[in-house]
Amino acid sequence: MKEVKSPNGEKPREKHYSRLYRKFVLLTLISSLVPLLLVGWGIYIYYSNFSRDRMNIYFQGQVESHRKIIELFLSERTHDLQLIGQTHSLDYLQKESNLRKVFSVINRQGQYFTDLGVIGEQGRHLAYIGPYNLMDKDYSQTFWFKELMKKGIFISDMFLGFRNDPHFIIALLGFEGERPWILRASINTEYLRSLVENVKIGNTGEAYLVNQTGIFQTSPRSSGKIMGSSPLPVSLFKEDSGVRIMGRDGDQSRWPLSRQIVAYAWLKEPHWLLIVKQDYSEALRDVNHANQATLIFLHLSLLGIIIITAVITRTMIKIIQKRDRESDQLNKQLMQAGKLASLGELSAGVAHEINNPLAIILTENQVIRDSLEEVPGLDEAFRRELMESLSQIDTQIQRCTLITHNLLRFSRRTKSIIEMVDLNAFLKEVTQLMDGRARGMGVQFLMDLEKDLQPILSDPSQLQQVFLNLITNAIDAHEGRPSGTIRISTRTDLQKQGVEIVVADTGSGIPAHNLERIFDPFFTTKPVGKGTGLGLSISYSIIKKLEGEISVQSEMAKGTRFTLFLPFRPLTDSRRNGPEALGQTSFQDFRKEAKK
């Protein structure tokens, strides 16, 4: 059946395959990618949250640990001064030699104090040990002096003071009877800074202290210095401690720096804010690497799924196309078989109906011939002319008999004998029969027969008819040509367990539009009277019945190639079903036909 093309020229079945391909790819991708994306997204969310929680715990631990260290240091220094005030009298401490001994004792474990002074109730030093000249200074109007008078113990923020150098002090208020006096010490700023600033957290991590007004009490490693203003808004940290993600794209629009993770904790006394922070990108570098690796793996998986889906789907479509072609071919064969069966029944009936009149005509013709010899006085010229006419009637009756005989062969009403056949010897015998006619047309046989070819189990008489038909057509194809060749070859096909026979000629070839019809009954391209159109139909029917295959390739002006396959042993045991299953044609009958 001829396929109908769509208006844009694409065949409907090709458009169907294209739609099927896209549908398969889409469904496969949906069924594959959606679970993968969900799992990948779930893993990403879970791992990110888990890593963020672990990071918060780590920074919370860091800031709590450092708060305890700093508070312990300040508490110990305060206790040092309290112990001095409780164990020594004002008279003892205001002697410089005694105060120097005390100063040496409290700095024995480390240079915790920069100086130590005893100040009277008027705010002037009674004794002083330290690197600065502060004996004549009046502290009565300083902020710390006033706060100390109120609280009894005072730890100051960083201030410049009379020495004009950032420092902070711890001062105690003592009494000698009713007479107040002050024990005042400056804490070694560098020692405090070493406790705070030496915290190393990656390349961007740092720790520092600010007071309640946002003034640095230690120097940040990245920017700023002691007593400078912190860009960090202290008002953001109201809880006792915590961890927050802050930055331009974080949760704090007032944060002037890049996105950072900030851990904070308030000291009890003095009320300083301890900050431990690190750039968010560095803190989550490992997490980001893991996420990037996950994304790369996810993308590679997506790419792999897409490629595999495309390849598998294309392979499936090719298999479907192949199955459809095989189905189409099978349908054609079924239609051809049905057509041949119908024609076979018709041919058998026609042959039977014609044979009887032909037999009567032949008998009556013989009676007329015998009677004519007994008629006396008949003009000799008329008698001879009448005898020639009767002979012509005999000839045409024999021709009609041959046609009906072929019709009966086509309808398989003839008998068949299955036996072992040596194909090489068989083909040589057939070509010998046809050699005279071939040489008369300048055609030469070229035999390419496989040595020691295995015999096959088949019907030699029907094979004889097949090869006679093929060779006759091959010879006729050279009509009008000065010369030509017919190559006949045999090869063993172990994979299909049979023999391949090729009959190839160098004749005129068959037009492409006739190739599909050459096995149709009564189809012929020969002049009227030179062919019945049944030869190839009978050959096709015989080969199929013998469980073989026959195909043809042809090219105009270059020749035609018939390829036959015959199994070593047909799967159907035709002998068990009786000889009529395959039909029979006498070998001698074919020899006679060939000689004609």
Side-chain angles (χ1 to χ4, degrees):
M1 180 180 293
K2 199 171 183 178
E3 288 185 321
V4 179
K5 292 187 176 181
S6 62
N8 60 2
E10 187 181 7
K11 295 180 179 179
R13 182 164 289 183
E14 293 176 351
K15 293 180 68 176
H16 168 70
Y17 291 139
S18 298
R19 289 195 299 270
L20 194 61
Y21 175 80
R22 291 192 294 270
K23 186 178 293 184
F24 279 169
V25 169
L26 179 63
L27 292 177
T28 305
L29 289 179
I30 290 175
S31 60
S32 302
L33 296 185
V34 170
L36 179 64
L37 291 176
L38 289 177
V39 171
W41 179 77
I43 292 175
Y44 173 79
I45 295 299
Y46 173 80
Y47 186 69
S48 297
N49 292 334
F50 175 77
S51 301
R52 192 174 293 109
D53 292 342
R54 296 283 297 177
M55 182 181 64
N56 290 343
I57 292 173
Y58 169 76
F59 274 88
Q60 185 69 45
Q62 286 286 323
V63 76
E64 291 292 345
S65 173
H66 283 78
R67 176 165 72 170
K68 290 178 180 178
I69 292 173
I70 296 169
E71 287 181 340
L72 179 62
F73 171 75
L74 295 175
S75 175
E76 287 179 345
R77 303 293 79 76
T78 303
H79 289 159
D80 289 343
L81 297 180
Q82 287 177 327
L83 181 61
I84 294 171
Q86 293 171 0
T87 57
H88 298 80
S89 65
L90 176 61
D91 293 338
Y92 178 83
L93 292 176
Q94 64 184 352
K95 292 181 180 178
E96 183 177 343
S97 58
N98 293 337
L99 188 62
R100 187 177 301 280
K101 289 180 182 178
V102 172
F103 183 71
S104 300
V105 170
I106 60 178
N107 275 338
R108 182 175 299 169
Q109 299 298 324
Q111 296 298 319
Y112 303 137
F113 298 95
T114 303
D115 59 12
L116 180 63
V118 178
I119 300 175
E121 56 183 333
Q122 289 78 27
R124 293 182 179 277
H125 271 108
L126 301 176
Y128 173 76
I129 301 298
Y132 301 102
N133 184 14
L134 301 175
M135 285 300 293
D136 58 344
K137 303 302 181 184
D138 181 4
Y139 294 98
S140 60
Q141 298 304 317
T142 59
F143 71 94
W144 63 266
F145 188 87
K146 296 176 181 177
E147 290 293 327
L148 179 62
M149 291 299 113
K150 297 177 183 176
K151 299 178 179 178
I153 298 176
F154 181 73
I155 302 176
S156 71
D157 292 342
M158 287 287 177
F159 66 102
L160 296 177
F162 293 114
R163 66 190 69 176
N164 199 26
D165 187 47
H167 67 286
F168 75 100
I169 64 167
I170 299 176
L172 300 177
L173 180 61
F175 291 90
E176 185 72 22
E178 295 296 331
R179 179 184 175 192
W181 61 281
I182 298 169
L183 182 61
R184 173 187 178 278
S186 300
I187 303 300
N188 188 343
T189 304
E190 296 300 323
Y191 194 91
L192 177 65
R193 292 180 60 183
S194 67
L195 291 179
V196 179
E197 299 173 11
N198 289 339
V199 175
K200 300 293 184 184
I201 305 175
N203 296 323
T204 60
E206 61 180 356
Y208 57 88
L209 292 167
V210 296
N211 64 8
Q212 299 179 69
T213 59
I215 302 300
F216 286 123
Q217 303 301 295
T218 58
S219 298
R221 190 171 59 169
S222 57
S223 63
K225 60 182 180 179
I226 292 179
M227 298 193 69
S229 295
S230 170
L232 180 68
V234 179
S235 59
L236 297 176
F237 308 101
K238 298 179 180 178
E239 294 82 7
D240 181 62
S241 65
V243 178
R244 302 180 66 168
I245 307 298
M246 307 183 72
R248 294 191 179 94
D249 52 349
D251 60 350
Q252 297 298 326
S253 58
R254 297 168 58 189
W255 184 257
L257 305 176
S258 60
R259 194 178 191 191
Q260 295 183 334
I261 179 169
V262 178
Y264 65 96
W266 286 99
L267 304 183
K268 292 181 180 177
E269 188 64 30
H271 201 53
W272 291 346
L273 179 65
L274 173 63
I275 297 290
V276 177
K277 67 183 183 67
Q278 187 181 16
D279 280 353
Y280 189 83
S281 59
E282 184 186 39
L284 292 179
R285 179 178 299 166
D286 293 340
V287 179
N288 291 334
H289 286 171
N291 288 336
Q292 289 177 358
T294 302
L295 289 176
I296 291 174
F297 172 76
L298 188 62
H299 282 84
L300 290 176
S301 299
L302 294 176
L303 181 61
I305 288 174
I306 292 173
I307 293 175
I308 292 174
T309 299
V311 172
I312 291 178
T313 304
R314 189 173 298 279
T315 303
M316 290 175 57
I317 294 299
K318 287 183 178 178
I319 292 174
I320 292 174
Q321 288 177 320
K322 181 181 178 182
R323 293 290 182 269
D324 287 347
R325 287 195 295 269
E326 292 176 352
S327 177
D328 291 343
Q329 186 65 27
L330 181 59
N331 289 333
K332 289 181 180 178
Q333 291 177 357
L334 289 174
M335 292 176 63
Q336 182 72 7
K339 185 167 60 176
L340 290 176
S342 300
L343 287 172
E345 293 295 330
L346 177 62
S347 301
V350 172
H352 178 74
E353 294 298 329
I354 292 177
N355 273 341
N356 290 335
L358 287 177
I360 294 172
I361 293 172
L362 185 63
T363 301
E364 293 301 327
N365 185 55
Q366 186 61 42
V367 170
I368 294 173
R369 187 190 299 270
D370 294 341
S371 300
L372 189 62
E373 292 178 354
E374 296 175 357
V375 176
L378 191 63
D379 181 71
E380 190 61 29
F382 176 74
R383 182 191 302 274
R384 188 168 52 255
E385 184 176 354
L386 187 57
M387 290 298 289
E388 290 178 354
S389 297
L390 293 175
S391 297
Q392 185 63 29
I393 291 174
D394 282 342
T395 300
Q396 296 306 319
I397 290 175
Q398 290 176 5
R399 179 176 173 80
C400 291
T401 302
L402 178 61
I403 292 173
T404 56
H405 189 68
N406 284 335
L407 288 174
L408 288 174
R409 287 174 189 160
F410 176 72
S411 63
R412 299 170 189 165
R413 294 293 179 87
T414 54
K415 295 181 180 180
S416 175
I417 299 176
I418 298 299
E419 59 186 45
M420 296 303 294
V421 178
D422 182 351
L423 274 178
N424 286 348
F426 192 78
L427 289 169
K428 289 178 181 177
E429 186 175 354
V430 173
T431 54
Q432 286 175 0
L433 291 174
M434 303 298 295
D435 187 58
R437 183 182 176 192
R439 281 190 284 104
M441 297 185 65
V443 178
Q444 181 183 3
F445 285 108
L446 301 176
M447 306 300 288
D448 181 16
L449 306 179
E450 181 180 295
K451 188 177 180 181
D452 300 328
L453 185 68
Q454 180 179 340
I456 65 172
L457 188 63
S458 189
D459 183 346
S461 63
Q462 299 224 26
L463 288 181
Q464 181 83 0
Q465 183 177 1
V466 171
F467 293 124
L468 282 173
N469 285 333
L470 296 180
I471 293 173
T472 299
N473 288 339
I475 294 173
D476 292 341
H478 292 85
E479 186 172 355
R481 291 172 175 257
S483 61
T485 59
I486 299 175
R487 178 178 294 275
I488 301 176
S489 62
T490 57
R491 292 290 183 272
T492 301
D493 189 337
L494 293 177
Q495 185 177 4
K496 297 170 68 174
Q497 285 295 298
V499 178
E500 181 184 88
I501 307 104
V502 175
V503 179
D505 63 66
T506 57
S508 57
I510 304 173
H513 61 275
N514 287 337
L515 275 178
E516 293 185 355
R517 302 180 59 194
I518 60 172
F519 295 117
D520 290 348
F522 305 112
F523 177 78
T524 179
T525 58
K526 296 179 180 179
V528 177
K530 289 192 175 182
T532 61
L534 290 173
L536 289 179
S537 298
I538 294 172
S539 300
Y540 180 88
S541 177
I542 290 173
I543 293 300
K544 288 296 180 182
K545 194 64 182 178
L546 294 175
E547 300 180 16
E549 299 172 1
I550 182 170
S551 61
V552 59
Q553 298 88 37
S554 184
E555 187 174 355
M556 292 300 294
K558 290 189 177 180
T560 303
R561 172 191 175 98
F562 281 91
T563 303
L564 292 80
F565 170 79
L566 293 171
F568 289 136
R569 183 180 294 274
L571 296 177
T572 303
D573 189 352
S574 56
R575 291 171 295 180
R576 184 182 57 192
N577 297 331
E580 292 188 357
L582 292 171
Q584 179 187 20
T585 300
S586 169
F587 179 77
Q588 297 302 325
D589 291 342
F590 284 111
R591 186 188 297 274
K592 292 176 181 178
E593 291 175 15
K595 287 181 177 179
K596 291 178 182 179

